Amino acid sequence: MNYLWYTAITILIAFLLFVVLFFRKSESPRKKLLLYYLLSVALPLVIPYRWVEKILFDYLAGLPSALFISLVLILIEWALLFFLIVRVHKKAIDAPEEQFFLFLLLGLGFGMGKALRDTLLVYFHSLSVFYGYSQFANFPSFFYLLQKIMEAQIEVISAGLLGLAFLSPAGYTFQHLVSYSLLSFIPKGLITIAQVLIQFVPSLFFLASVYLVSLLPLTLIIGAGLLWYLYRRRLYQIIEEDETSPHEENLKEEA
Amino acid sequence: MRKFFSGNKSLSAIAGVAIFLINFMTISSLQAKETFSYKIMVQEKEIGKMIYEVEEENNFLQIKSFIKLAEEEMERDAQLTILRDTYEPLRSQKWVKLPGGEIVIETIYEERKAQIKITSPEGAKEATVSLPSPVFDSEEIPYLIGKPPCEKEKVISVLVPISGMVWRGKIQKIAQSEEEETFRFTLGGEITYLRYQKEKPRLVELQAPQRGYNLVLEGHSQEENN
């Protein structure tokens, strides 16, 4: 039971920290934020897309199939994140910064939901010690929680990158959506490919020992850097668009 | 009744029963034990040995496997009791050594369900899993594949006790010669290639490319006891 409490407390602390860091001066009601957060936590728990993996593995085997199945799972996760972001984007908050932080909050909730699901599967499976088919679902330890927190942060980056497509006063365009979606695949894709390769290519088994200490943090740092750079770039674009649009209107009026 | 127990007829009947009983007792106590020794090969280097002992008693087969890595001592790996005719499992035990200690997974098969008990240094956990019929234990796979008739392709249900889940196993015959036949077996996304001697089905080689090792038959011995 302890591990459920640890995970529940971690999920709550993550939310509180996030709100304190990014929504301190915001006027958005905290209740609404908590609701969005809980919705994003609940989604990976409710939708049994992990079973899709089990069913597909019953019919497909080998490295190419494992890569294909992982791609399917990433696509489902992308669709869930997209759904969340569209839902929240419709109930628009005006300030683009706040919108962006809200997308990050959704990513955090989504990642925490996945962590909670894995914890439930690993520790509350009737056999508990092993859940089985994923070597990344192993023993209860500090490392397990650390791994889950880091993987949740990868979701934050993905949600942020996907959310950038929606950050435009003129609304999002199809090109934006495609390019930022592809970008949002990169951190998740890299981690997933690493997991599959470690599991299916014996000569890469050694990477399992560096997964937590180098692969995950490296992806996190590069992903966070990329997100920060693109976010700043997008903000400048928004400011430029805001500055040019009244001028253009004036020109039209004069004409 | 007294009439029946007197005379030649009764004598021959008693003798018949006695012969039947002696025969039956002799057959029932007949035991045959086969031992297979396999080299464990990783990147064409031998890293240890895997020993399979198959003991036949009445209608049951008892399969014990042992593992010996490099200079370490021989360790027990798994023990299975299966039905001789249908290969359906009755009981299986598996020992897994991990840095945190040893885990023992014990499975008792019943009608359409199995009771799995996992004992680890943290304590014991038990679960009952519903099963389709027929179902096989993942530990009996190397022994099983070449046995039931398989023309081209066959699908079986396999319980992997360590995961507590039933997986779909697919057997495909991919090559055959006069003496041997090769099968491709897929389970839980993993592919294993198994080469069997044809005349008396016997595993000659097992290739597990995704686990990075091969088992190659090194020696075989057979003993029969009355």
Side-chain angles (χ1 to χ4, degrees), chain B residues 1-192:
Chain B
M1 199 68 166
R2 270 182 81 183
K3 241 184 180 179
F4 183 80
F5 279 107
S6 63
N8 287 341
K9 268 187 187 170
S10 63
L11 263 177
S12 52
I14 291 165
V17 170
I19 289 165
F20 171 78
L21 280 174
I22 291 164
N23 273 342
F24 177 75
M25 283 166 75
T26 312
I27 291 164
S28 67
S29 63
L30 180 75
Q31 289 187 337
K33 186 175 167 182
E34 276 188 286
T35 307
F36 302 91
S37 172
Y38 293 90
K39 289 188 283 187
I40 305 172
M41 308 291 285
V42 173
Q43 290 174 344
E44 294 179 9
K45 278 183 193 164
E46 187 181 335
I47 60 147
K49 291 200 190 308
M50 188 92 189
I51 313 287
Y52 282 96
E53 278 181 13
V54 184
E55 212 166 327
E56 195 177 324
E57 195 176 340
N58 299 335
N59 291 323
F60 309 111
L61 288 173
Q62 196 168 73
I63 305 165
K64 289 179 190 171
S65 60
F66 303 89
I67 193 162
K68 188 186 182 307
L69 292 174
E71 284 159 20
E72 287 174 25
E73 281 186 16
M74 180 90 79
E75 283 171 8
R76 56 191 176 174
D77 174 61
Q79 186 171 326
L80 269 157
T81 309
I82 61 173
L83 286 174
R84 192 183 58 188
D85 299 327
T86 58
Y87 310 105
E88 281 182 61
L90 299 172
R91 185 169 183 259
S92 85
Q93 276 175 294
K94 171 88 177 166
W95 292 269
V96 182
K97 272 218 162 164
L98 292 162
E102 192 181 53
I103 295 175
V104 186
I105 305 119
E106 190 180 358
T107 313
I108 295 166
Y109 291 85
E110 290 167 17
E111 185 77 30
R112 295 260 173 179
K113 63 178 182 181
Q115 285 182 343
I116 306 172
K117 186 180 177 185
I118 294 189
T119 314
S120 72
E122 291 171 11
K125 283 259 178 182
E126 278 184 67
T128 304
V129 183
S130 299
L131 300 177
S133 182
V135 73
F136 301 97
D137 191 286
S138 57
E139 287 306 313
E140 66 175 303
I141 294 304
Y143 184 79
L144 175 81
I145 303 282
K147 302 282 167 36
C150 171
E151 282 306 312
K152 219 175 173 189
E153 207 174 286
K154 194 175 177 172
V155 174
I156 54 170
S157 299
V158 180
L159 173 69
V160 183
I162 203 162
S163 68
M165 289 197 291
V166 177
W167 292 81
R168 182 181 180 271
K170 191 173 166 190
I171 308 165
Q172 286 170 290
K173 193 189 277 185
I174 54 169
Q176 67 172 333
S177 65
E178 278 184 19
E179 291 164 356
E180 290 180 343
E181 46 193 5
T182 308
F183 296 92
R184 180 183 188 264
F185 178 66
T186 52
L187 183 76
E190 280 194 11
I191 304 169
T192 314

Side-chain angles (χ1 to χ4, degrees), chain A residues 101-122:
Chain A
F101 294 144
L102 192 58
F103 297 151
L104 295 187
L105 182 71
L106 292 178
L108 183 71
F110 192 75
M112 285 294 169
K114 279 173 69 179
L116 180 62
R117 178 203 60 201
D118 290 350
T119 309
L120 289 171
L121 286 177
V122 175

Side-chain angles (χ1 to χ4, degrees), chain A residues 45-86:
Chain A
L45 288 169
V46 176
I47 295 173
Y49 67 92
R50 207 70 186 168
W51 283 102
V52 174
E53 185 185 28
K54 158 84 172 72
I55 292 162
L56 287 174
F57 267 130
D58 266 347
Y59 290 90
L60 301 168
L63 179 64
S65 305
L67 286 170
F68 165 74
I69 290 167
S70 302
L71 180 72
V72 170
L73 290 186
I74 294 180
L75 278 171
I76 297 174
E77 285 182 0
W78 178 85
L80 292 177
L81 258 178
F82 184 76
F83 164 77
L84 279 171
I85 289 173
V86 169

Side-chain angles (χ1 to χ4, degrees), chain A residues 3-168:
Chain A
Y3 288 101
L4 184 64
W5 281 113
Y6 290 162
T7 318
I9 290 166
T10 309
I11 286 171
L12 204 67
I13 289 174
F15 172 74
L16 293 173
L17 274 176
F18 200 90
V19 170
V20 168
L21 278 172
F22 297 109
F23 291 96
R24 204 175 41 239
K25 290 170 191 168
S26 162
E27 285 170 12
S28 312
R30 302 289 184 267
K31 253 188 190 174
K32 211 173 175 183
L33 292 178
L34 184 65
L35 202 71
Y36 289 146
Y37 183 69
L38 289 179
L39 176 71
S40 56
V41 169
L43 223 49
L45 288 169
V46 176
I47 295 173
Y49 67 92
R50 207 70 186 168
W51 283 102
V52 174
E53 185 185 28
K54 158 84 172 72
I55 292 162
L56 287 174
F57 267 130
D58 266 347
Y59 290 90
L60 301 168
L63 179 64
S65 305
L67 286 170
F68 165 74
I69 290 167
S70 302
L71 180 72
V72 170
L73 290 186
I74 294 180
L75 278 171
I76 297 174
E77 285 182 0
W78 178 85
L80 292 177
L81 258 178
F82 184 76
F83 164 77
L84 279 171
I85 289 173
V86 169
R87 292 288 298 171
V88 170
H89 184 251
K90 275 182 182 168
K91 294 167 184 165
I93 296 168
D94 284 340
E97 292 97 330
E98 246 180 61
Q99 267 192 39
F100 179 68
F101 294 144
L102 192 58
F103 297 151
L104 295 187
L105 182 71
L106 292 178
L108 183 71
F110 192 75
M112 285 294 169
K114 279 173 69 179
L116 180 62
R117 178 203 60 201
D118 290 350
T119 309
L120 289 171
L121 286 177
V122 175
Y123 301 119
F124 299 96
H125 182 262
S126 51
L127 296 171
S128 181
V129 181
F130 263 81
Y131 183 61
Y133 62 95
S134 165
Q135 70 183 85
F136 295 91
N138 41 40
F139 284 97
S141 64
F142 165 74
F143 289 106
Y144 174 83
L145 284 180
L146 186 67
Q147 182 186 323
K148 289 296 148 198
I149 289 167
M150 278 163 106
E151 283 172 354
Q153 284 171 323
I154 298 275
E155 293 299 333
V156 175
I157 290 167
S158 286
L161 288 169
L162 186 59
L164 283 176
F166 295 83
L167 281 187
S168 168

